[in-house]
């Protein structure tokens, strides 16, 4: 027959409770027997006393108002009980005798008790009262060695609960006494026992005297602890190292208990330390900058640069935690509190094993281990490196970084430029493995030869271009165009674009080439001189307008300048960008490549011509009329009425014409 484990556990628990109740009943019966014996002795002493005659007394009860009111002297407790007539003094002596058999206890106070029984759930404590108290065994977790007969402190919560049970608490008793005990332990440097309850950030929570104390991870042991969980649910010994009364914080240390012994060992080790001494140690901690070694109670540091002759990015590439290694003492301070150790010093220096036949101008191969803007370090053999400066990577003169040429881990071939075995320094170059393009520059790029180049960089005064790797040249801004006025080279081309050039000048000694772009075409100003003659009129497009005037694009893409007073239109106002108008050339300078034009002069001259023409025509007509009048006057000898009328009409005509 299968029995449910939960039901079975419940039955066991009920049986244990029954057993405890039976034990309590037996204790009470023993106390009652003792009391009965004392009562019998007292009765024997009063047998000779005659029992007084009891006469019934009639008491009048008056009911006023509330029916529940009556004689306040009536002894209600005697109703239904057998009355025993005992002398008052005897009864008092009996009561005092019984009280002496019980301990004088009060509620909400701390007293000592004796453990009389213990099981997996509860601890029974006797405090000399009429019944024993029961305390949960969880309140004694810090003391797993508790056994019957031990004396413990308990807090009396209640002498009787609703079931008549004495309520005790060991936890509250410890809390009330805890701060006093913690302070005493701190002052006296006393060793205390605590129960590790749980893990928290940076350490452990420990139950000490019922208080929760903090055990930092650095105070668990003399060596770093990586797994705090292994200490949970364990009972350990501690020293109270710090108390904060304001925040009720307690800090304990287990490490302090073993430091005295370690200090003795440490003093002995430090006294024997000497530079160059080789010791065995254990890797205690690894950081990005080095490794801490435990030398048997004394810690030393191996800096990352002293781990290996070769380059490493992290100490974990060489050692691991808890490794046992031999180290050499490099240095220490006066108090020998800081000890510098070395590991690579136990092996020969790689420079001592470098091939003795290697010399300057020899070729070697290596691997790129470090790259910086200024160059790259090449590992020739482990521990031996040479520097290739960025200027030794290419014959090119324009600015570049080492990342443009090499990558980490790349195998390269280089030439030894300098070699100093005493200083253990080596400089290398890779451009020396290819011919210098400037060695035959005159043959390859003679003056007036035409080439295609790549735009590499801009300056305010020109463009740097690259004809080939290592051969750079400059195109001055004035040599970019015959006709356009260029303020900045970026208006003419872009970086990375191809541009045709012609070699103007060469300085092989200083590695300089002067190049031109406009020289690829004939000078158009020779032609412009015959086209844009003074007073010639041309269509032009206004490009820009400023306070001083406007820039106008004439035929053939030639740019001319019209002062502000020369871009005023006939309708009023100045010309605006993108307007197409007629312009007259008023000034032309071939040497300075300057053309001054005017739009205003065109319509002003036309107006002046029209006015002069009108004035000339009016003058000619007036002269003709005068001639006619003269002839009429000469041909008429005498006037008639008809003649007078004709003359009057002629006069009117002349007045109208005037």
């Amino acid at each position: 027959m299968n029995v449910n484990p939960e039901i079975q556990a419940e039955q066991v628990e009920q049986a244990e409770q029954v057993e405890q109740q039976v034990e309590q009943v037996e204790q009470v019966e023993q106390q009652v027997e003792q009391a009965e014996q004392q009562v019998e002795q007292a009765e024997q002493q009063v047998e000779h006393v005659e029992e007084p005659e009891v006469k019934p007394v009639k008491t009048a009860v008056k009911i006023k108002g509330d029916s529940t009111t009556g004689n306040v002297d009536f002894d209600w407790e005697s109703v239904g009980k057998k009355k025993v007539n005992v002398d008052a003094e005897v009864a008092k002596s009996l009561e005092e005798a019984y009280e002496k058999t019980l301990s004088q206890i009060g509620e909400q106070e701390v007293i000592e008790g004796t453990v009389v029984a213990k099981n997996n759930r509860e601890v029974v404590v006797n405090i000399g009262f009429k019944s024993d108290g029961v305390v949960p065994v969880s309140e004694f977790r810090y003391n797993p060695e508790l056994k019957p007969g031990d004396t413990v402190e308990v807090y009396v919560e209640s002498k009787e609960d609703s079931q008549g049970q004495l309520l005790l608490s060991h936890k509250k008793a410890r809390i009330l006494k805890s701060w006093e005990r913690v302070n005493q332990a701190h002052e006296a440097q006393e060793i205390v026992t605590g129960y590790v309850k749980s893990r928290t950030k940076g350490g452990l929570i420990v139950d000490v005297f019922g208080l929760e104390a903090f055990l930092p991870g650095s105070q668990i042991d003399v060596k770093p602890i990586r797994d705090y969980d292994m200490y949970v649910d364990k009972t350990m010994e501690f020293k109270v190292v710090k108390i904060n009364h304001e925040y009720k914080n307690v800090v304990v240390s287990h490490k302090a208990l073993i430091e005295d012994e370690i200090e003795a060992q440490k003093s002995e080790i430090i006294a024997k330390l000497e530079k160059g001494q080789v010791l065995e140690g254990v890797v205690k901690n690894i950081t990005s900058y080095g490794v801490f070694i435990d030398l048997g109670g004394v810690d030393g540091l191996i800096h990352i640069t002293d781990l290996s002759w070769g380059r490493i990015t992290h100490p974990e590439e060489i050692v691991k935690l808890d490794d046992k290694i031999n180290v050499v003492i490099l240095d220490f301070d006066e108090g020998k509190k800081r000890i510098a150790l070395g590991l690579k010093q136990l092996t020969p220096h790689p420079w001592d094993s470098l091939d003795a036949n290697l010399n300057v101008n020899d070729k070697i191969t290596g691997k790129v281990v470090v790259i910086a803007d200024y160059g790259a370090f090449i590992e020739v053999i482990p521990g031996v490196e040479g520097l290739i400066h960025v200027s030794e990577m290419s014959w090119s003169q324009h600015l570049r970084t080492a990342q443009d040429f090499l990558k980490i881990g790349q195998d390269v071939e280089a030439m030894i430029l300098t070699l100093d075995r005493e200083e253990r320094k080596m400089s290398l170059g890779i451009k020396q493995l290819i011919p210098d393009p400037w060695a035959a520059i005159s043959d390859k790029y003679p003056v007036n030869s035409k080439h295609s180049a790549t735009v590499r960089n801009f300056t305010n005064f020109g463009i740097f271009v690259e004809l080939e790797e290592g051969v750079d040249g400059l195109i001055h801004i004035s040599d970019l165009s015959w006709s356009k006025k260029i303020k900045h080279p970026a208006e003419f081309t872009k970086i990375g674009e191809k541009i045709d050039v012609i070699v103007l000048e060469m300085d092989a000694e200083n590695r300089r080439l002067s190049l031109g772009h406009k020289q690829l075409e004939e000078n158009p100003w020779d032609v412009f001189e015959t086209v844009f003659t003074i007073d010639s009129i041309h269509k032009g497009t206004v490009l820009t307008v400023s306070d001083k005037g406007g820039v106008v694009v004439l035929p053939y893409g030639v740019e001319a300048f019209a002062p502000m007073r020369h871009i005023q239109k006939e309708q009023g106002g100045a010309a605006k960008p993108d307007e197409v108008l007629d312009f007259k050339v008023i000034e032309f300078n071939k040497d300075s490549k300057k053309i001054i034009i005017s739009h205003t002069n065109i319509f002003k001259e036309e107006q002046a011509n029209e006015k002069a023409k009108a004035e000339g025509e009016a003058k000619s007509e007036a002269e003709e009329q005068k001639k006619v009048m003269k002839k009429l006057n000469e041909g008429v000898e005498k006037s008639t009425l008809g003649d007078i009328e004709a003359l009057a009409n002629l006069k009117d005509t002349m007045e109208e014409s005037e």
Side-chain angles (χ1 to χ4, degrees):
M1 178 178 180
N2 296 329
V3 181
N4 191 327
E6 296 181 356
I7 298 177
Q8 187 176 7
E10 185 177 357
Q11 292 175 350
V12 172
E13 183 178 353
Q14 292 176 354
E16 290 178 353
Q17 293 178 353
V18 171
E19 290 178 359
Q20 292 176 1
Q21 293 176 355
V22 170
E23 291 177 356
Q24 293 176 358
V25 170
E26 290 177 353
Q27 293 176 0
V28 173
E29 289 178 350
Q30 291 177 0
Q31 294 175 356
V32 171
E33 289 179 359
Q34 293 176 358
E36 288 177 350
Q37 291 176 1
Q38 293 177 356
V39 172
E40 289 178 359
Q41 293 176 359
E43 288 178 349
Q44 292 176 1
Q45 294 176 0
V46 298
E47 282 180 353
H48 62 282
V49 179
E50 295 181 356
E51 183 178 348
E53 182 179 359
V54 179
K55 295 182 180 182
V57 179
K58 295 181 180 180
T59 303
V61 179
K62 295 181 180 181
I63 301 175
K64 293 182 180 181
D66 191 355
S67 62
T68 60
T69 60
N71 189 354
V72 295
D73 296 329
F74 184 76
D75 187 6
W76 291 96
E77 293 184 357
S78 63
V79 176
K81 296 182 180 179
K82 181 179 179 179
K83 189 173 181 181
V84 179
N85 294 323
V86 182
D87 183 69
E89 294 182 358
V90 174
K92 184 176 180 180
S93 64
L94 291 174
E95 183 177 354
E96 291 177 353
Y98 178 72
E99 290 293 337
K100 290 180 180 180
T101 63
L102 303 176
S103 299
Q104 299 298 322
I105 66 170
E107 293 185 351
Q108 299 182 356
E109 67 178 27
V110 178
I111 61 176
E112 290 189 348
T114 304
V115 178
V116 297
K118 177 186 176 184
N119 57 31
N120 294 332
R121 294 175 58 83
E122 298 169 330
V123 176
V124 181
V125 181
N126 180 17
I127 61 173
F129 195 57
K130 61 183 180 180
S131 63
D132 293 337
V134 178
V135 181
V137 73
S138 60
E139 296 187 13
F140 295 93
R141 285 186 301 183
Y142 72 95
N143 186 9
E145 305 298 329
L146 184 70
K147 59 185 181 299
D150 290 350
T151 300
V152 296
E153 290 182 340
V154 291
Y155 175 79
V156 181
E157 296 191 71
S158 175
K159 291 190 286 188
E160 287 189 9
D161 61 3
S162 59
Q163 298 180 353
Q165 179 68 45
L166 173 65
L167 295 182
L168 303 178
S169 173
H170 178 63
K171 181 179 180 180
K172 291 184 178 180
R174 292 181 71 207
I175 292 175
L176 292 175
K177 294 285 185 178
S178 59
W179 277 106
E180 180 180 350
R181 290 185 177 180
V182 164
N183 282 281
Q184 291 176 353
H186 185 226
E187 294 175 0
Q189 293 295 303
E190 178 186 349
I191 298 175
V192 299
T193 302
Y195 170 74
V196 181
K197 296 176 61 177
S198 62
R199 175 180 177 176
T200 188
K201 183 179 180 180
L204 300 168
I205 299 298
V206 181
D207 186 338
V208 178
F209 300 138
L211 289 177
E212 286 191 349
F214 177 61
L215 174 63
S218 60
Q219 296 297 318
I220 298 176
D221 204 340
V222 292
K223 60 182 179 180
I225 302 300
R226 290 178 285 278
D227 184 13
Y228 292 169
D229 293 331
M230 62 184 293
Y231 292 94
V232 178
D233 291 331
K234 287 188 177 181
T235 301
M236 302 170 61
E237 292 183 336
F238 306 96
K239 270 190 177 181
V240 180
V241 295
K242 184 178 180 181
I243 297 177
N244 189 322
H245 295 278
E246 182 179 357
Y247 297 101
K248 301 295 183 183
N249 291 336
V250 179
V251 180
V252 297
S253 172
H254 178 70
K255 175 182 177 181
L257 299 179
I258 55 178
E259 279 185 337
D260 294 339
E261 180 181 353
I262 293 177
E263 192 64 30
Q265 298 176 0
K266 184 176 180 180
S267 300
E268 183 179 354
I269 294 173
I270 289 178
K272 298 179 181 179
L273 289 180
E274 294 180 2
K275 293 183 180 180
Q277 185 179 7
V278 178
L279 299 174
E280 183 182 59
V282 178
V283 178
K284 181 179 181 180
N285 191 20
I286 300 177
T287 67
S288 60
Y289 56 85
V291 179
F292 287 93
I293 305 297
D294 183 359
L295 301 175
V298 180
D299 291 346
L301 172 65
I302 306 177
H303 195 268
I304 187 171
T305 57
D306 291 316
L307 283 171
S308 172
W309 292 114
R311 286 185 180 267
I312 58 174
T313 57
H314 197 279
E316 290 179 345
E317 299 175 18
I318 304 298
V319 297
K320 296 181 180 179
L321 286 174
D322 300 326
D323 281 355
K324 287 185 178 181
I325 59 175
N326 289 328
V327 294
V328 61
I329 298 177
L330 302 179
D331 197 4
F332 48 77
D333 59 10
E334 294 181 358
K336 297 183 179 180
K337 295 181 180 179
R338 294 183 179 179
I339 304 172
L341 305 175
L343 180 64
K344 71 180 184 181
Q345 288 78 4
L346 297 177
T347 59
H349 199 290
W351 272 88
D352 298 335
S353 59
L354 184 65
D355 188 354
N357 295 323
L358 280 178
N359 293 303
V360 175
N361 295 329
D362 287 348
K363 296 180 182 179
I364 59 171
T365 57
K367 181 179 292 185
V368 180
V369 291
V370 175
I371 292 182
D373 290 339
Y374 58 86
F377 288 92
I378 309 300
E379 187 179 58
V380 179
I381 61 174
V384 177
E385 297 176 0
L387 172 64
I388 304 179
H389 194 271
V390 66
S391 62
E392 304 298 338
M393 294 182 181
S394 171
W395 293 108
S396 178
Q397 298 297 313
H398 59 84
L399 298 178
R400 298 170 78 175
T401 63
Q403 288 87 345
D404 296 331
F405 300 95
L406 301 174
K407 296 181 180 179
I408 295 289
Q410 179 181 347
D411 292 326
V412 297
E413 184 180 19
M415 178 181 289
I416 299 176
L417 303 181
T418 63
L419 179 61
D420 190 339
R421 294 181 183 271
E422 292 183 0
E423 294 293 331
R424 292 170 177 170
K425 293 181 179 179
M426 181 189 305
S427 63
L428 307 173
I430 56 178
K431 73 179 184 181
Q432 289 77 8
L433 300 179
I434 59 176
D436 183 357
W438 283 88
I441 193 71
S442 300
D443 298 332
K444 194 169 184 179
Y445 300 101
V447 176
N448 294 326
S449 60
K450 299 177 182 179
H451 308 276
S452 177
T454 304
V455 178
R456 289 300 186 189
N457 192 22
F458 290 146
T459 66
N460 291 330
F461 55 84
I463 302 174
F464 283 99
V465 297
E466 184 181 59
L467 296 171
E468 64 173 272
E469 182 72 23
V471 179
D472 296 339
L474 172 66
I475 307 174
H476 195 272
I477 192 170
S478 62
D479 292 320
L480 289 174
S481 175
W482 289 110
S483 57
K484 293 183 179 179
K485 292 184 178 180
I486 300 171
K487 295 180 180 180
H488 193 275
E491 302 173 6
F492 189 81
T493 185
K494 296 180 181 179
I495 292 178
E497 288 188 350
K498 292 290 185 178
I499 185 172
D500 292 330
V501 296
I502 185 171
V503 179
L504 302 179
E505 294 180 9
M506 178 184 300
D507 185 353
E509 183 177 354
N510 294 314
R511 294 175 180 259
R512 292 179 181 175
L513 279 178
S514 177
L515 307 174
H517 174 71
K518 70 180 184 180
Q519 289 79 2
L520 295 171
E521 300 175 354
E522 293 184 2
N523 189 351
W525 285 90
D526 294 336
V527 178
F528 295 160
E529 187 177 16
T530 61
V531 175
F532 301 105
T533 57
I534 301 298
D535 292 334
S536 61
I537 298 175
H538 308 273
K539 288 285 186 181
T541 303
V542 180
L543 186 63
T544 60
V545 177
S546 65
D547 294 339
K548 294 181 179 180
V551 177
V552 180
V553 180
L554 298 177
Y556 307 104
V558 180
E559 291 183 359
F561 180 72
M564 179 57 70
R565 60 190 176 88
H566 287 287
I567 58 172
Q568 301 299 318
K569 296 189 293 185
E570 185 177 3
Q571 298 83 0
K576 297 180 180 180
D578 298 330
E579 279 195 76
V580 179
L581 302 171
D582 288 331
F583 292 91
K584 177 182 284 189
V585 178
I586 59 177
E587 183 181 342
F588 182 91
N589 192 320
K590 176 182 176 182
D591 296 332
S592 61
K593 299 179 178 59
K594 181 173 67 174
I595 302 176
I596 305 299
I597 56 177
S598 173
H599 170 71
T600 307
N601 285 1
I602 295 176
F603 68 81
K604 281 188 176 181
E605 289 179 359
E606 290 178 352
Q607 291 176 352
N609 292 334
E610 290 179 357
K611 184 177 180 181
K613 182 179 180 181
E615 290 177 350
E617 291 177 351
K619 186 177 180 180
S620 299
E621 186 176 353
E623 290 178 351
E624 283 293 329
Q625 290 176 353
K626 287 181 180 180
K627 291 178 179 179
V628 171
M629 288 296 297
K630 185 177 180 181
K631 290 179 179 181
L632 290 175
N633 290 332
E634 292 176 351
V636 177
E637 295 180 350
K638 54 182 179 181
S639 55
T640 60
L641 182 61
D643 295 333
I644 294 172
E645 185 178 358
L647 291 172
N649 292 335
L650 178 61
K651 183 179 180 182
D652 292 339
T653 302
M654 291 178 64
E655 289 178 354
E656 288 178 1
S657 63
E658 289 178 356

